[in-house]
Amino acid sequence: MTRTLPRTSAVRTNVRIVRDNFSGTAVASLRTFGRAAGIAQESVAGIFTGIARGTFQWKEAILQAWRLVTVTAIPAILMAIPFGVIVSVQVGNLIHTLGADSLLGATGGLGVIKQGAPLATGFLLGGAGAAALAADLGARTIREEIDALNTMGISPIHRLVIPRMVAMLIVAPLLNVLIIFVGVLAGYMVAIGGQGVTPGSYWATFGSFTTTADVWVSLLKAVIFGFIVVVIACQRGLEAKGGPRGVADAVNAAVVLSVVSIVIVNLIATQITAMFLPTRLA
């Protein structure tokens, strides 16, 4: 009895510690989500207000858009080529077994447009784009530039976040279009060069199964992913603390949270799209 009671007390203490840690983490996560939602709401409202009043910083937005292009354009091409090739080869082997080689254009095109391009866009923006934004704002935060802006009565959201959000929303669909073009072209070259598909049948099935709605959905998903990335990256950068180590932590958190959020949102968007916009049969 004397040995059982201390063990039981220790178990209860450990359970209580685990419960407190879990509840504390959950509350902190909800607060972080609330702050991110607040940044998103203020930024969206600030975009329309700034454009209506003629005070929007177009020069800064274009500069930030160019910076995003410089860190994502080449990786987008390098990612789209192998993705288009992999889709063409793997799907091509399957439909060749079924004796439907002419459908390779439809399967390859739909794979790139509906899933490959928006996911690749999101991952690139969530990787290179989020890292660049979080590092920039995090460095400004630890140098107390954000505090200086607040002291002067200048909102960091309007001065720093809104131009970066507009830049991200401009670059995301353009990057998505680039990945679609390169991915479909790479799949086409593999299909006609290594799998014996004629160019006419490839493009005929591609046009029969792929609709403009699929392209619009792909662009919309890319814009949503870009919006998620910029909100997360800016929120983590503005809340960086602890010197250079804090900036590194903010960058890591921004990248991880962006990628995880993109995967979850893509899963939900795919299910909604499948219900309301099913694949058209030729």
Side-chain angles (χ1 to χ4, degrees):
M1 181 66 67
T2 57
R3 295 181 179 178
T4 305
L5 290 178
R7 292 181 180 178
T8 304
S9 177
V11 170
R12 291 178 179 175
T13 302
N14 292 333
V15 170
R16 185 172 63 254
I17 292 174
V18 171
R19 184 178 64 250
D20 293 342
N21 290 336
F22 178 79
S23 60
T25 302
V27 171
S29 300
L30 290 176
R31 289 176 177 174
T32 302
F33 178 79
R35 293 194 299 272
I39 291 176
Q41 180 181 2
E42 185 177 354
S43 299
V44 172
I47 291 174
F48 293 103
T49 302
I51 294 176
R53 295 178 178 177
T55 58
F56 184 79
Q57 304 176 68
W58 289 107
K59 183 178 180 180
E60 179 68 15
I62 294 174
L63 178 61
Q64 294 299 324
W66 174 248
R67 289 179 178 175
L68 287 174
V69 169
T70 57
V71 299
T72 57
I74 301 301
I77 296 175
L78 297 178
M79 181 180 291
I81 292 176
F83 185 86
V85 172
I86 291 172
V87 171
S88 181
V89 172
Q90 296 297 326
V91 177
N93 292 334
L94 176 61
I95 65 175
H96 178 72
T97 304
L98 300 176
D101 292 348
S102 60
L103 296 178
L104 183 59
T107 55
L110 286 175
V112 172
I113 292 175
K114 300 182 74 172
Q115 293 296 329
L119 275 178
T121 301
F123 289 156
L124 284 173
L125 295 177
L133 292 176
D136 180 24
L137 294 182
R140 293 173 182 268
T141 300
I142 66 170
R143 291 199 302 262
E144 299 182 352
E145 294 182 18
I146 306 301
D147 294 335
L149 289 176
N150 289 323
T151 301
M152 292 184 294
I154 301 175
S155 172
I157 302 297
H158 291 265
R159 179 64 181 85
L160 300 174
V161 175
I162 289 179
R164 286 161 175 78
M165 178 175 288
V166 172
M168 183 72 77
L169 297 181
I170 293 174
V171 171
L174 298 179
L175 201 63
N176 188 76
V177 171
L178 176 63
I179 294 175
I180 290 176
F181 175 77
V182 175
V184 171
L185 183 61
Y188 167 75
M189 298 300 294
V190 171
I192 65 174
Q195 296 178 314
V197 179
T198 60
S201 64
Y202 185 95
W203 293 118
T205 55
F206 178 83
S208 298
F209 284 83
T210 306
T211 63
T212 54
D214 296 326
V215 179
W216 283 113
V217 170
S218 180
L219 294 175
L220 179 60
K221 288 169 68 174
V223 171
I224 293 174
F225 294 161
F227 180 79
I228 293 172
V229 168
V230 72
V231 170
I232 293 175
C234 290
Q235 188 260 338
R236 303 309 297 184
L238 292 175
E239 295 183 3
K241 60 182 65 176
R245 175 64 180 273
V247 177
D249 292 340
V251 171
N252 292 334
V255 172
V256 173
L257 291 174
S258 297
V259 172
V260 172
S261 300
I262 287 170
V263 172
I264 295 174
V265 172
N266 180 70
L267 177 61
I268 298 173
T270 301
Q271 296 300 320
I272 295 175
T273 304
M275 288 191 298
F276 295 99
L277 292 174
T279 302
R280 186 185 69 176
L281 298 178

